[in-house]
Amino acid sequence: MKSIEGVMFNAYPDSLGGRLGDIVALLDREEMRGAFSLFYILPTMFQSDLDRGFSVISYDINPELAKAEDLASLRGMNIGLFLDFVLNHLSVGSPQFQDLLARGDESEYRDFFIDWNEFWEGRGEKNEEGLLIPRDEDLNKLFMRKPGLPVLKLPFPDGSSRWYWNTFYQSVEEGAKGPRYLGQMDLNGESPRVWDFYAETLDKFKAYGADIVRLDAFAYLHKEPGMSNFFNEPGTWQYLDRLRQMARDRDLLLLPEIHAAHSDGIHRELAKREYPIYDFFFPALAIHSIETGDAGPLLRWIGEILDEGYQCVNMLGCHDGIPVLDVKGLLEDTQIDELIDTITSRGGRLKDLYGPDGKKIAYYQVNATFYSAFGEDDRKFLLARALQLFMPGVPLVWYLDLFAGSNDYAAADSGGHKEINRTNLEASVIEERIGLPVVVRQLEMIKFRNRFPAFGTGARIEARPTGNGLEITQSSADGASEARLEADLTNSSYRITYRSGDNKWSSLQAFPD
């Protein structure tokens, strides 16, 4: 299996300075140079209209935010490229859906999207508007990401209204020329045209210089009447394996993105099939460990990673919230409740999942910056970063975490919970923060993790409890290099020591000094 190495940076193209070229220049500054081997650029780099890039119109580069020369510059800096492929849906504004709206049943994209009534034909009754309501035994199997049925009502050229499957965001805005529809419309995985589109998109990614492709929302793609619309089997595996072969033909590595409870075991099944996995369990475990002084759940998770040989990508913050659904099975329900209470008491906002009746069925994530989740305590935050960098797997660093970003309540109030952790930083703010001790110390650790030979493929990793926390050691396959983290959970301090070649131990500056 193709491997992922080094430390990964994660940002929108306009996160730092306003354009992707500004981030490229920032990564080449002395303070940042050598910190990262990969850059995960979020999909506002493409043509999009909703959900901060995840409602893709086209996978062509958005000229307002990026240009091909920026990607070439990253390659020249030996920074690999990681891009998003939103498998489950496309924007209403996509050429394919616009053709469907304009030509109706005559469109060549007639089966590219999912006509809700056709999908459920014979398995329910229509209401007074003509929308088919599936029978309860089918409806109760659906996994909802928003209240109500996952549909968007749209006008067709023949004067009729049609309902199309819409799992995620939607919006209808009134304009001078009538309603303007926005939405992420689910694709029909049974359509050959959809698979042609997937192939064309992977070709584009390869031309951009991509090394890794993240499969966003892939678990919602396969749909079949009478089954769940989330990770049903064997259809989801069949789709995923078909995509992997397409990626291998282009020398691309796929990273499937899925949120599910640890107790469901989906992460284990992905790993058994030799897919790398997201470590969505680590963020909550790190907060639990540092806030309570209890390293047990984190150590058990590290043990599972090592015993099962998982290839992971881990993070603190990211463009989504801090996962809490995921740690069911690793933390007790009371511990998860305490975790949620801690983060929300510091300004975090809880996101839930819903049943078909619109009622909450489970908590999902808490939206907050990771820095604010720790009450903007430098000691706790830096300890979490140290733990992340010594965890098995590849560390992903969210730009706002790197610059110690705080919760943006105004953005969350106007744009939704997720915007609390997506603030764009202007050049002047970057200049103010790049010299802060919490930023300097992170960069020191990140550069060490990115360069030191004890880390990476083949590394031997040991983790053990200590009287006041835990200790994690990574050593190179040949034993010539070794790095050790001693984490004190009682006072949120840490010490990093290392040796290479001459067997003399050295140390990074301990925290606190």
Side-chain angles (χ1 to χ4, degrees):
M1 179 168 57
K2 187 175 181 178
S3 62
I4 314 171
E5 298 285 350
V7 181
M8 190 183 306
F9 189 59
N10 183 199
Y12 295 98
D14 54 343
S15 291
L16 298 163
R19 290 179 57 89
L20 181 58
D22 297 317
I23 300 180
V24 173
L26 177 63
L27 291 173
D28 199 35
R29 283 179 54 158
E30 181 179 355
E31 298 96 327
M32 300 275 287
R33 196 176 302 134
F36 301 103
S37 294
L38 295 154
F39 186 4
Y40 169 20
I41 308 174
L42 284 152
T44 42
M45 189 180 89
F46 309 125
Q47 306 279 351
S48 63
D49 61 4
L50 191 67
D51 192 21
R52 196 68 184 267
F54 285 91
S55 183
V56 176
I57 294 172
S58 162
Y59 285 97
D60 293 337
I61 292 174
N62 178 356
E64 295 182 3
L65 298 180
K67 54 187 179 180
E69 290 86 344
D70 300 330
L71 305 181
S73 296
L74 289 171
R75 290 194 293 274
M77 295 160 60
N78 293 317
I79 295 177
L81 188 60
F82 181 178
L83 297 177
D84 258 308
F85 192 1
V86 186
L87 281 181
N88 180 68
H89 47 265
L90 272 178
S91 167
V92 165
S94 65
Q96 296 90 339
F97 204 84
Q98 286 299 303
D99 188 85
L100 176 61
L101 288 178
R103 301 179 62 205
D105 292 327
E106 302 302 315
S107 171
E108 63 183 299
Y109 297 103
R110 175 70 180 80
D111 69 343
F112 200 85
F113 303 91
I114 303 173
D115 183 312
W116 176 269
N117 281 8
E118 286 188 359
F119 183 90
W120 293 108
E121 186 175 0
R123 301 180 74 94
E125 299 292 336
K126 291 183 179 179
N127 65 11
E128 62 279 3
E129 287 189 276
L131 173 64
L132 194 151
I133 308 299
R135 57 196 187 190
D136 288 346
E137 62 191 81
D138 290 332
L139 198 57
N140 291 334
K141 293 176 182 176
L142 297 185
F143 191 82
M144 304 296 193
R145 291 298 301 268
K146 59 182 192 281
L149 292 178
V151 294
L152 182 62
K153 180 181 179 181
L154 294 160
F156 259 52
D158 62 3
S160 67
S161 294
R162 306 284 179 93
W163 288 265
Y164 274 79
W165 202 311
N166 166 247
T167 295
F168 293 87
Y169 292 93
Q170 62 171 260
S171 174
V172 181
E173 300 173 353
E174 291 300 328
K177 297 181 180 180
R180 177 173 178 255
Y181 297 89
L182 294 172
Q184 295 163 295
M185 310 312 297
D186 289 41
L187 302 183
N188 177 13
E190 296 299 302
S191 167
R193 286 190 179 277
V194 167
W195 289 90
D196 290 342
F197 168 73
Y198 288 164
E200 292 164 5
T201 302
L202 290 174
D203 286 339
K204 282 185 181 180
F205 286 0
K206 186 64 180 176
Y208 294 151
D211 300 288
I212 307 166
V213 176
R214 174 183 178 270
L215 299 182
D216 180 79
F218 82 92
Y220 294 90
L221 178 63
H222 188 271
K223 298 178 179 69
E224 186 173 332
M227 300 184 71
S228 170
N229 61 322
F230 178 80
F231 212 99
N232 58 54
E233 299 180 273
T236 299
W237 292 120
Q238 292 166 355
Y239 281 0
L240 195 54
D241 290 344
R242 184 175 175 183
L243 284 158
R244 175 162 61 180
Q245 186 55 56
M246 293 167 65
R248 283 175 172 170
D249 291 344
R250 296 160 175 81
D251 194 29
L252 296 168
L253 178 67
L254 296 184
L255 177 59
E257 181 262 356
I258 185 170
H259 284 283
H262 177 272
S263 54
D264 290 345
I266 293 177
H267 68 285
R268 186 175 292 110
E269 291 301 317
L270 281 165
K272 283 181 181 177
R273 294 168 188 256
E274 298 190 334
Y275 290 97
I277 62 172
Y278 265 110
D279 184 355
F280 286 128
F281 312 108
F282 173 70
L285 292 176
I287 296 173
H288 170 80
S289 297
I290 293 169
E291 291 292 345
T292 67
D294 174 18
L298 178 59
L299 284 166
R300 287 193 292 274
W301 169 234
I302 295 173
E304 180 182 333
I305 296 173
L306 298 179
D307 290 345
E308 300 295 335
Y310 300 156
Q311 184 179 353
C312 297
V313 171
N314 59 54
M315 73 289 293
L316 299 181
C318 66
H319 71 277
D320 266 338
I322 298 168
V324 288
L325 167 70
D326 303 63
V327 288
K328 287 182 70 68
L330 287 168
L331 295 178
E332 301 293 333
D333 287 347
T334 54
Q335 294 173 317
I336 297 173
D337 289 339
E338 290 169 1
L339 182 78
I340 291 171
D341 289 344
T342 296
I343 303 172
T344 54
S345 73
R346 295 167 178 167
R349 301 187 178 184
L350 184 62
K351 167 71 175 176
D352 296 320
L353 294 174
Y354 300 90
D357 57 1
K359 294 181 179 178
K360 171 186 171 181
I361 58 172
Y363 43 62
Y364 183 55
Q365 57 187 213
V366 186
N367 296 106
T369 72
F370 222 79
Y371 188 57
S372 290
F374 278 122
E376 300 175 14
D377 183 318
D378 286 4
R379 293 170 65 101
K380 292 178 179 180
F381 180 71
L382 286 169
L383 176 56
R385 177 70 75 206
L387 286 168
Q388 181 204 10
L389 296 174
F390 273 78
M391 282 289 292
V394 175
L396 181 148
V397 177
W398 182 236
Y399 76 97
L400 208 54
D401 287 348
L402 181 63
F403 289 97
S406 302
N407 287 341
D408 189 336
Y409 301 111
D413 289 342
S414 62
H417 285 8
K418 290 183 179 181
E419 297 305 313
I420 202 170
N421 186 32
R422 297 177 174 182
T423 307
N424 290 343
L425 302 182
E426 297 180 357
S428 59
V429 176
I430 297 167
E431 291 299 329
E432 291 172 3
R433 296 190 185 180
I434 201 165
L436 293 175
V438 68
V439 178
V440 171
R441 193 62 60 82
Q442 283 186 83
L443 285 169
E444 179 186 32
M445 288 192 287
I446 290 167
K447 288 180 181 180
F448 174 73
R449 170 64 177 81
N450 197 46
R451 295 168 169 171
F452 194 66
F455 302 96
T457 300
R460 296 197 300 263
I461 305 173
E462 296 179 357
R464 67 177 187 88
T466 61
N468 53 9
L470 70 158
E471 179 181 290
I472 305 175
T473 301
Q474 295 215 27
S475 55
S476 58
D478 61 6
S481 301
E482 186 175 352
R484 180 174 299 149
L485 169 68
E486 300 167 70
D488 188 336
L489 299 179
T490 62
N491 63 8
S492 299
S493 65
Y494 65 83
R495 181 168 180 259
I496 295 172
T497 54
Y498 60 94
R499 64 170 183 83
S500 184
D502 58 9
N503 285 327
K504 292 182 179 178
W505 285 87
S506 301
S507 62
L508 296 185
Q509 190 172 7
F511 187 81
D513 302 337

